[in-house]
Amino acid sequence: MYCVLVLILLHCCKLKAQDNVVTLNEPVLSASPSKEVQNGELVTLNCSVETVKSGNFVPNYTFKISRYDDLLVSITSEQEWVLHRIYPARFSHSGEYYCEVNVNGKTKTSNVLLLRVKGIMKPKLTVQKTQVTEGENVLLRCEVTGENPPFYFTFYKIRHSPSNSSVSKTKLEKTENFAEVEFPVNEGDTLLFFECVVKISLAVVSETSEPSNREVIGVAEPFSVPNITVYPPNVVEGDNILIKCTTILSRRHEIEMILQKDKNILNNSRGGESVTYSAVATMENSGNYTCKVELGRVSKTVTVNVVVAELFSKPILHTSKKDLDEGGTIEMSCLLNSSLLLNVSLMKDNTFLMASTSYAFTAYIANSGVYDCRAETKGIIKKSDPVRIRVYSPVSKPRFLFTEGAVLGRPFVLRCYSENGTLPITYTLYRGNITIGQTEVENDVLAEFKDNATTEHRQGEYKCEAKNGHSKKFQSNGLNITVITPVYKISLRNLLHGDLEDGQDLFLICSVTSGSFFIEFNFFKENEAHSLHKVTENKNYATTWHKPGLTSQDAGKYFCTADNSAKSRLQSNRIIIKIILASWKKWLIALFVVVILLGMGGTFWWYFRKKGKAKGTSMELDGSMPPNNSMGEKLTLGTNNDGELYYGPGYKEEGENHVKSKEDNKAPVTKRNETVYTEIRKSLNDAGENRNSRIEGSPDGT
């Protein structure tokens, strides 16, 4: 009974489960009042879904709202919609939103909603101090509330001036909603304004805030701009000039004051309020004077121009000549343009000569030097521009020092020299009427000239000219140059062609096609360092080396060299010399071999003849005893009708009778006897093999 009830209940539950069927449409995400709102307003996100279900059951919906895949809220509800409030809306809330709905294991995702919040909260700027001194730093803090980082904070420093010039600094802050920076207070800053703005950049949009509140900072000077005074106001050469620089300190500071003229520091002081410089005024004291006061980064300067009036003008030294011959007369005068009483001095190489405005003397070499005149009054000394006086002794006749040969196709050097004469000396080289070159020698050395030997015979003789500041110049004697032609195209040949016999003479000819004499020829054998033969020719372009009585050790490769004073050594081709045996030695060897062969032949002939005679004697002894056949019968010899030998009656060979033909038995008797002896030995052997055979004679041997 109970089992039946349980089965009925299970069946009913199954039918109910089959009735709880639901299907989802795509959810919809919307924003109210709009998907574009102003910063600070309320924004409501509504995620709704339409479902189709079986029966009257109420399903549970799970709503998830996300921004850029970051889950913002998850809500479970029996309603088909859910609301998410964003208040106050900030720019950092801008972005892409979507919602996801899950019911009974089924999930659907909504469309993407792009929410745009316009505007950023106005940032707030604070400063550490509102009153600073030049050289200090100002610490600023810019803060924005309600927004999320990252932020770009930009700070502005605005100078109080007609142009309101400004400088800025930008700082990125990734974690905090504020940033701090420092600005230096520079020289000349009196009143400063500071403000900041904030910029936020998102994936799809960026926004910049309005400027923050403006902070005003007053700037005080640590010291005043310096002041320069010059005494006396109108300075004349010889006056005692005093230059003083002063400043005023706002409070005690360790400042430094520097007084300089152009780039030269004249004086300096530390911790004080003034610095001075004094001197006896000269024309060199004219110029710009600068006073600089420094404290840390703060530096203030002032510049004044000082003009020193000339007491008298600079003297001028006048000379009749600057370059003159030894023994000539020179006159000097010092020209002055002043009404003052001046002390005048004439100087040579900074050494006092005399106190006079004019000077005349006979010039000698020792009078060469640098002259000037000087004028002095009230401690002011002025000197003229220096004048260099050169007194020249005449050059001697130059001469050539030619130590090198002139080789065709190469440059050669000519050296020219004058033993006497005041330096510097100018040398000029001529070839005929053509100027080859010119050089100035300031030391006692040779003048060198280079020319090219392009032809074997130079046109015109060489001459060297020497001159200095003296009025006279001299030329050398003429010099003719012999051009040396290097040897050209060397060759080596053997006068006797072919192989040479042992004991024969060797004749080698070494020659060149051209070259200046003397020409030195050398003959060499390869791999031997020393010369085999050396000849110096002064008429011929060829020479011959004769070597008598060649031996086998003279075989090898030979070459020759040729050179002259051009030092352009040439090496010839190599020829191979082969040494063979002399003809008479060959005949002698052949004769010796023939004699040996004849001797050996005679020896063999004698040996075999002696051996043949011994064999013949043995045959004759054997023939005197008639042989018996296998039956004990004696064999007898007879002749047939043709006179041929045959065995006696009763002899018969096994199978058939063997008898020589008539033509074979026409040999001489001796040969015939030898044949008989041979046939006898053969018959004896056959008889031994056929002892039971009967021998039958046959008169004709058939």
Side-chain angles (χ1 to χ4, degrees), residues 48-217:
S48 60
V49 64
E50 292 183 355
T51 60
V52 178
K53 58 186 178 180
S54 62
N56 294 322
F57 77 98
V58 178
N60 287 327
Y61 299 91
T62 299
F63 294 89
K64 294 181 180 180
I65 300 177
S66 301
R67 176 177 177 270
Y68 292 125
D69 296 332
D70 293 331
L71 180 63
L72 300 178
V73 65
S74 178
I75 301 173
T76 301
S77 174
E78 294 181 353
Q79 302 291 334
E80 292 184 342
W81 52 268
V82 68
L83 301 177
H84 176 63
R85 293 162 54 89
I86 301 175
Y87 181 79
R90 302 300 183 193
F91 178 77
S92 56
H93 292 142
S94 299
E96 295 180 351
Y97 291 80
Y98 64 91
C99 71
E100 185 179 272
V101 181
N102 181 280
V103 59
N104 284 7
K106 297 181 179 181
T107 302
K108 289 284 187 176
T109 302
S110 73
N111 58 300
V112 174
L113 173 68
L114 179 61
L115 179 63
R116 174 79 164 85
V117 180
K118 297 181 178 180
I120 298 177
M121 292 291 292
K122 181 178 180 179
K124 180 182 179 182
L125 179 68
T126 57
V127 296
Q128 191 178 34
K129 294 189 298 183
T130 59
Q131 190 69 32
V132 294
T133 303
E134 290 177 339
E136 292 187 31
N137 289 331
V138 177
L139 179 63
L140 306 177
R141 176 187 173 101
C142 186
E143 183 177 0
V144 62
T145 58
E147 300 288 353
N148 297 322
F151 302 106
Y152 289 93
F153 292 93
T154 302
F155 297 82
Y156 294 94
K157 172 188 172 183
I158 306 169
R159 299 185 64 182
H160 179 63
S161 63
S163 62
N164 286 334
S165 60
S166 65
V167 294
S168 63
K169 289 184 179 181
T170 300
K171 186 176 181 180
L172 172 64
E173 184 56 59
K174 296 182 178 180
T175 58
E176 302 292 341
N177 65 340
F178 67 90
E180 293 181 344
V181 297
E182 283 187 335
F183 276 96
V185 180
N186 301 322
E187 172 197 351
D189 291 343
T190 56
L191 189 63
L192 300 176
F193 303 97
F194 294 93
E195 62 185 23
C196 68
V197 296
V198 178
K199 180 180 179 181
I200 304 176
S201 295
L202 301 178
V204 295
V205 68
S206 63
E207 189 84 19
T208 301
S209 71
E210 61 178 302
S212 68
N213 55 301
R214 177 174 286 193
E215 294 290 337
V216 182
I217 294 180

Side-chain angles (χ1 to χ4, degrees), residues 358-425:
S358 61
Y359 181 45
F361 57 91
T362 300
Y364 296 98
I365 299 299
N367 295 126
S368 295
V370 178
Y371 291 79
D372 68 81
C373 68
R374 303 180 186 185
E376 182 270 333
T377 186
K378 295 178 62 174
I380 301 300
I381 300 175
K382 294 185 179 181
K383 64 179 182 178
S384 67
D385 293 332
V387 176
R388 178 174 291 278
I389 302 298
R390 292 182 175 89
V391 181
Y392 291 92
S393 62
V395 297
S396 59
K397 184 176 182 178
R399 58 190 178 90
F400 281 109
L401 285 86
F402 182 68
T403 57
E404 299 180 4
V407 179
L408 182 65
R410 301 181 195 169
F412 62 94
V413 177
L414 285 171
R415 294 177 176 85
C416 185
Y417 179 65
S418 288
E419 294 182 355
N420 300 318
T422 303
L423 297 171
I425 300 175

